[in-house]
């Protein structure tokens, strides 16, 4: 038995925050943000929380697959901005919104969450345990960034993406390979210190903190290695890839990794200018956007990569069905 990506869906909240809007909030300017990151706008959730975005992305993925919620055997949801820290999981809240009683679990792999969710869904399906798994990356990071910290608040945005991973006997449709990694020695580089039991109420550092420049360097190095490794061990080159769909944190990271594997610019998917860094949601949102505008088509081979807090990072070779 193999696992395939059956469908994709996404949702973004309505409100758009531009770089010009941010100039009124923190000491920054459009030129700095554009030059250093490529970001122009991001969507911000006002009255919605992460499960609301996740639910709408899930409905979109179900509609695109022509499936009903009760055909889903399990939900795996990746987020760093859950409705509740500790419990219940946002996946449980989404299962309830969908009206299904099924195994549902959140995973904490930060911006690499979608690739980790994909790896888990693939393993469950290949084991024969489940037939259809709904995986979701959903974030309202606007609710966990410090709006007084210009080094982080300008970078992120809210959104959700969902995919249905299903069993197939057709190897041609199957996810080819997934590479996931983590190195906890970088745990302090990207962290929300005051939202767990270690510091808890003893600190007011409850917002996302990032050592941006250091993170950038490790991201480029590890991602380049991961995409090179996954291509090599599957006897593929950038010529065999139809679409490079990287995590959308910064166009400069995307560009550096694309150059490392000689990926032509026209095959690199860029949505960071519209949505900013939506963490675990960025890859499914980007795939969905490319499918909607008719670029990614059935049978196209996608190379995904992502990097995030932990640090975690990884890549995947996924045909679009
Ligand atoms: O998705 C999860 C993983 N996250 C990432 O992959 C993000 C990785 N990091 C990055 O994308 C980049 O490091 C940033 C975009 C966050 C920052 O770019 P940078 O080129 O690494 O800039 P920097 O941190 O070295 O800062 C350069 C200068 C500093 O001023 P001084 O010390 O040179 O005077 C900052 O204080 O830019 C200043 N700065 C800003 N200026 C205007 C930092 N943030 C801003 C801002 N507006 N928003």
């Amino acid at each position: 038995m193999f696992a395939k990506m059956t469908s994709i869906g996404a949702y973004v909240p309505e409100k758009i925050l531009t770089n010009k809007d941010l100039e009124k909030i923190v000491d920054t300017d459009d030129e700095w943000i554009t030059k250093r990151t490529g970001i122009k706008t991001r969507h911000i959730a006002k009255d919605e929380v992460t499960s609301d975005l996740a639910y709408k992305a899930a409905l979109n993925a179900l509609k695109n697959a022509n499936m009903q919620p009760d055909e889903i055997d399990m939900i795996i949801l990746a987020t760093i901005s859950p409705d509740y820290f500790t419990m219940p999981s946002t996946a449980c809240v989404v299962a309830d919104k969908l009206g299904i009683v099924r195994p549902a679990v959140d995973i904490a792999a930060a911006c690499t969450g979608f690739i980790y969710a994909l790896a888990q869904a693939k393993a469950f399906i290949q084991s024969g345990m489940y037939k259809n798994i709904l995986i979701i990356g959903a974030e309202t990071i606007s609710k966990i960034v410090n709006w007084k910290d210009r080094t982080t608040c300008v970078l992120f945005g809210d959104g959700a993406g969902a995919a249905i991973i299903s069993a197939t006997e057709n190897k041609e449709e199957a996810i080819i390979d997934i590479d996931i990694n983590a190195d906890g020695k970088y745990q302090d580089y990207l962290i929300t210190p005051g939202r767990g039991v270690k510091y808890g109420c003893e600190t007011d550092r409850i917002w996302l903190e990032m050592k941006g420049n250091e993170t950038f360097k490790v991201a480029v190095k590890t991602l380049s290695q991961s995409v090179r490794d996954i291509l090599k061990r599957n006897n593929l080159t950038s010529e065999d890839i139809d679409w490079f769909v990287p995590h959308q944190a910064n166009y400069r990271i995307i560009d550096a990794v694309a150059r490392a594997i000689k990926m032509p610019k026209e095959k690199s998917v860029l949505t960071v200018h519209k949505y900013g860094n939506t963490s675990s949601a960025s890859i499914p949102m980007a795939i969905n956007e490319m499918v909607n505008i008719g670029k990614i088509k059935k049978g196209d081979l996608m190379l995904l990569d992502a990097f995030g807090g932990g640090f975690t990072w990884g890549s995947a070779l996924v045909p679009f069905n």
Side-chain angles (χ1 to χ4, degrees), residues 247-261:
H247 167 48
Q248 306 284 317
N250 185 323
Y251 87 94
R252 289 188 293 144
I253 297 176
I254 295 170
D255 194 43
V257 177
R259 270 190 279 123
I261 51 165

Side-chain angles (χ1 to χ4, degrees), residues 12-318:
V12 282
E14 216 169 283
K15 184 179 157 58
I16 295 174
L17 192 70
T18 66
N19 291 350
K20 286 275 168 213
D21 296 330
L22 277 164
E23 288 178 5
K24 294 175 210 139
I25 300 172
V26 281
D27 179 17
T28 192
D29 55 76
D30 176 44
E31 196 193 335
W32 189 96
I33 302 171
T34 307
K35 210 164 138 202
R36 303 269 174 156
T37 71
I39 301 166
K40 284 298 211 183
T41 58
R42 69 286 288 143
H43 289 244
I44 302 290
K46 265 179 72 197
D47 304 322
E48 295 165 305
V49 291
T50 299
S51 63
D52 298 317
L53 275 51
Y55 169 63
K56 287 176 184 162
L59 287 182
N60 189 214
L62 283 161
K63 184 170 162 255
N64 292 337
N66 206 9
M67 284 172 72
Q68 296 302 316
D70 66 2
E71 292 176 73
I72 295 297
D73 300 313
M74 182 184 193
I75 300 177
I76 304 174
L77 187 145
T79 188
I80 54 166
S81 47
D83 287 15
Y84 308 100
F85 283 94
T86 82
M87 61 185 166
S89 72
T90 305
C92 282
V93 179
V94 173
D96 183 50
K97 285 180 199 278
L98 289 169
I100 56 174
V101 179
R102 295 286 193 282
V105 67
D106 283 4
I107 56 168
C111 302
T112 318
F114 187 77
I115 291 185
Y116 268 72
L118 192 65
Q120 293 189 12
K122 178 175 179 278
F124 273 121
I125 283 167
Q126 286 180 185
S127 76
M129 198 161 163
Y130 297 123
K131 285 203 162 38
N132 295 302
I133 300 183
L134 173 63
I135 64 170
I136 307 172
E139 307 285 1
T140 48
I141 305 190
S142 64
K143 297 181 199 288
I144 61 159
V145 290
N146 180 353
W147 285 97
K148 291 186 180 134
D149 175 11
R150 68 175 183 170
T151 69
T152 52
C153 74
V154 305
L155 305 173
F156 295 92
D158 300 339
I164 297 170
I165 310 302
S166 306
T168 178
E169 280 171 7
N170 181 356
K171 200 173 177 195
E172 300 275 290
E173 300 177 333
I175 296 167
I176 297 172
D177 196 4
I178 302 181
D179 175 60
I180 47 174
N181 309 271
D183 188 346
K185 80 167 169 280
Y186 298 107
Q187 61 190 277
D188 295 331
Y189 283 46
L190 193 39
I191 186 168
T192 44
R195 300 215 188 219
V197 296
K198 184 165 180 182
Y199 300 112
C201 306
E202 292 163 27
T203 177
D204 55 5
R205 288 167 60 197
I206 59 165
W207 309 116
L208 182 154
E209 297 174 6
M210 177 166 69
K211 292 188 171 79
N213 201 270
E214 293 84 341
T215 302
F216 185 101
K217 288 176 194 150
V218 186
V220 171
K221 197 166 149 233
T222 54
L223 283 174
S224 302
Q225 191 62 47
S226 177
V227 289
R228 260 195 229 110
D229 285 352
I230 202 168
L231 287 173
K232 192 166 171 222
R233 72 177 182 232
N234 291 285
N235 294 318
L236 297 170
T237 71
S238 57
E239 284 180 22
D240 301 303
I241 304 299
D242 296 300
W243 297 103
F244 175 44
V245 192
H247 167 48
Q248 306 284 317
N250 185 323
Y251 87 94
R252 289 188 293 144
I253 297 176
I254 295 170
D255 194 43
V257 177
R259 270 190 279 123
I261 51 165
K262 299 190 173 61
M263 183 67 69
K265 261 201 162 52
E266 9 6 304
K267 288 189 187 180
S268 286
V269 175
L270 261 189
T271 57
V272 70
H273 56 291
K274 281 172 78 176
Y275 303 115
N277 181 347
T278 56
S279 189
S280 65
S282 86
I283 290 175
M285 281 171 61
I287 298 173
N288 184 67
E289 180 126 344
M290 296 300 281
V291 171
N292 280 348
I293 60 173
K295 290 212 164 173
I296 294 182
K297 295 190 194 73
K298 189 173 164 57
D300 283 356
L301 180 58
M302 304 182 289
L303 170 63
L304 320 180
D305 84 14
F307 180 91
F311 286 147
T312 56
W313 67 96
S315 54
L317 286 165
V318 184

